Amino acid sequence: MTDSAPSHGFLFDKWLHLYAERVETMRSSEVRDLLAVTARPDIIALAGGSLDIKASNLGKVSDIVADVLTEAGPEALSYGPSEGHLGLRKFLVKFMADEGVDCDVDDIIITQGGQQALELIAKIFINPGDTIVAEAPTYVGALNAFLSYQASIIQVKMDNNGMIMSNMEKTLKDLRDKGIQPKYIYTIPNSQNPGGLSMSLSRRKKLIKLARDYQTLIVEDSAYRRIRFEGEDIPSLKQLDSANVVYIGTFSKILSAGLRVGWVIAPRPIREKLVFAKQAADLCSSSLAQRIVEQFFHETPVNNHINKLITVCRRRRDTMLDALDEFFPKGTTWTKPIGGFFIWVTLPEYIDTTAMLAKAIQQKVAYVPGKAFFADGSGRNCMRLNYSFPKEKDIKEGVRRLAEVIEQEMELYKRLKV
Ligand code: PMP
């Protein structure tokens, strides 16, 4: 037995008196925990959050890696600047211009995925007990990053057009009345995780005004912006108010999550602190991974590539929506994503999706329970379903199996009530 192996079913931790207080608020990501189960080949995983790399048609990545190593071998295998590889930052200036954001190479810091940007932002802004405002529900990894710095997170209700601004205004006013300064408002305005919906332009404008009125900052997570199936391309918050918005982007949703390359664009004083924080965290992002991304988009026009991904994801979204219509019982509702990777499903109040997960896994299908997307334990009757990764036939079969599990829960409730 190793000294970390559990004995008698629980893990005795003899270092408890040594940990920092922040360890108490750290929590495991339910999504990451589920990955272990969903990696089993017999389970239909509607729980992940990745692109289907096999269906993404990346071409000969091995040639790209070989080209990078031939052309820039020593540099690709060495430390690089903490701000990131210049060639990739130059590419991003054009990529961002395409989105309507005017920025310079010096405005951009490359990070290890969007997740590191979230962590670094939390690190430079959050003291224990500080307040962050976010959407309800929101991305699990963002909640975990903020919670690990002991933030208090207030989540604002959404409808089909994003966060409801009257609720946001009330939240900010209540905080001001209590003398609390929220450190930032975290939002995923485009094709949100978990519901796949976007914030309307008028709400974006209102949010920008409120953030300024209440002297707080906006953190805009743009992870799924390019994976849009329909509707207009709404200007980003960064485009609308560059001086008061920190923008986070990632290549995970448009190229590869395994390369771990993302970026952050922030006003200069914030950027400086983010670089200090990054230096303390990892010195720099992988020089090799950054050059692979740069070389990939040197050879493949970015919009052609993204359009292919959109075609795959749109087809899978349609398959999932059709399957939900066909199989899910009355009394269940779900979002109709305009982009992104996910559908958010709401079941009757009495169903606890965390408890139901074990039954779903017995039926060989997995989802993410809704509770993970809230800091306060709500969302227990909700679940997130992913359509970007599973094949269409698995989507249909997975939804059918899940519908059976839900119907059994409904039956059980009816019988117990009588
Ligand atoms: N933001 C959102 C909204 C996400 O869904 C994710 C990943 N699921 C991330 C950020 C982080 O992804 P990565 O670190 O791979 O860029």
Side-chain angles (χ1 to χ4, degrees), residues 107-394:
D107 297 326
I108 301 169
I109 304 169
I110 306 291
T111 53
Q112 307 254 16
Q115 189 63 35
Q116 188 183 41
L118 290 165
E119 147 81 17
L120 298 179
I121 291 165
K123 188 175 185 176
I124 68 167
F125 282 108
I126 302 174
N127 287 322
D130 275 350
T131 297
I132 303 300
V133 181
E135 281 141 356
T138 194
Y139 168 49
V140 184
L143 288 177
N144 290 351
F146 308 159
L147 287 171
S148 72
Y149 286 95
Q150 296 160 282
S152 155
I153 301 169
I154 299 182
Q155 292 179 265
V156 172
K157 231 179 124 190
M158 302 172 71
D159 61 19
N160 286 349
N161 292 311
M163 275 186 287
I164 300 168
M165 286 302 138
S166 51
N167 291 23
M168 173 63 79
E169 190 159 11
K170 184 170 180 330
T171 300
L172 293 173
K173 186 171 180 315
D174 288 351
L175 287 170
R176 178 178 277 177
D177 290 347
K178 290 186 205 146
I180 297 172
Q181 168 67 64
K183 290 295 180 82
Y184 52 84
I185 299 168
Y186 169 70
T187 173
I188 312 161
N190 291 80
S191 308
Q192 206 240 9
N193 178 0
L197 301 170
S198 291
M199 193 188 292
S200 66
L201 180 59
S202 59
R203 290 207 187 159
R204 288 177 199 227
K205 290 184 175 161
K206 179 75 182 170
L207 179 64
I208 283 167
K209 181 167 182 331
L210 285 173
R212 284 195 169 263
D213 288 351
Y214 285 85
Q215 292 172 350
T216 191
L217 184 71
I218 296 175
V219 173
E220 173 177 35
D221 184 339
S222 206
Y224 301 93
R225 181 180 174 104
R226 293 294 180 109
I227 308 291
R228 181 169 51 83
F229 310 133
E230 57 225 6
E232 273 173 58
D233 186 24
I234 308 169
S236 63
L237 295 160
K238 185 74 184 162
Q239 182 183 347
L240 296 170
D241 188 9
S242 183
N244 203 41
V245 175
V246 176
Y247 177 104
I248 300 172
T250 178
F251 289 106
S252 291
K253 314 299 172 182
I254 54 169
L255 179 60
S256 152
L259 287 172
R260 309 303 304 128
V261 183
W263 68 99
V264 56
I265 304 175
R268 185 161 171 202
I270 297 176
R271 208 164 66 233
E272 269 175 18
K273 287 155 192 90
L274 288 173
V275 172
F276 300 154
K278 179 160 173 74
Q279 286 172 351
D282 66 357
L283 305 178
C284 65
S285 294
S286 158
S287 302
L288 178 59
Q290 293 180 70
R291 281 178 170 78
I292 293 172
V293 176
E294 180 194 13
Q295 185 66 21
F296 182 88
F297 287 119
H298 181 68
E299 292 181 15
T300 312
V302 63
N303 287 330
N304 292 1
H305 169 70
I306 292 176
N307 286 339
K308 278 195 269 171
L309 303 181
I310 291 175
T311 306
V312 174
C313 287
R314 184 197 282 119
R315 221 174 28 233
R316 291 181 180 188
R317 175 209 57 175
D318 291 344
T319 303
M320 185 169 270
L321 285 174
D322 288 349
L324 287 165
D325 271 336
E326 184 176 346
F327 298 117
F328 264 38
K330 254 177 86 175
T332 58
T333 57
W334 51 88
T335 55
K336 313 271 180 307
I338 58 103
F341 290 0
F342 311 106
I343 294 179
W344 180 249
V345 179
T346 305
L347 305 181
E349 288 284 339
Y350 56 80
I351 294 183
D352 177 345
T353 54
T354 305
M356 192 178 77
L357 184 61
K359 296 177 192 170
I361 287 173
Q362 264 176 9
Q363 297 309 312
K364 304 209 176 338
V365 59
Y367 58 83
V368 185
K371 234 172 68 177
F373 301 84
F374 294 84
D376 68 356
S378 42
R380 60 191 280 289
N381 59 319
C382 301
M383 59 168 79
R384 189 191 74 179
L385 301 180
N386 167 258
Y387 52 76
S388 61
F389 189 78
K391 311 252 168 308
E392 277 145 274
K393 76 171 187 357
D394 289 336

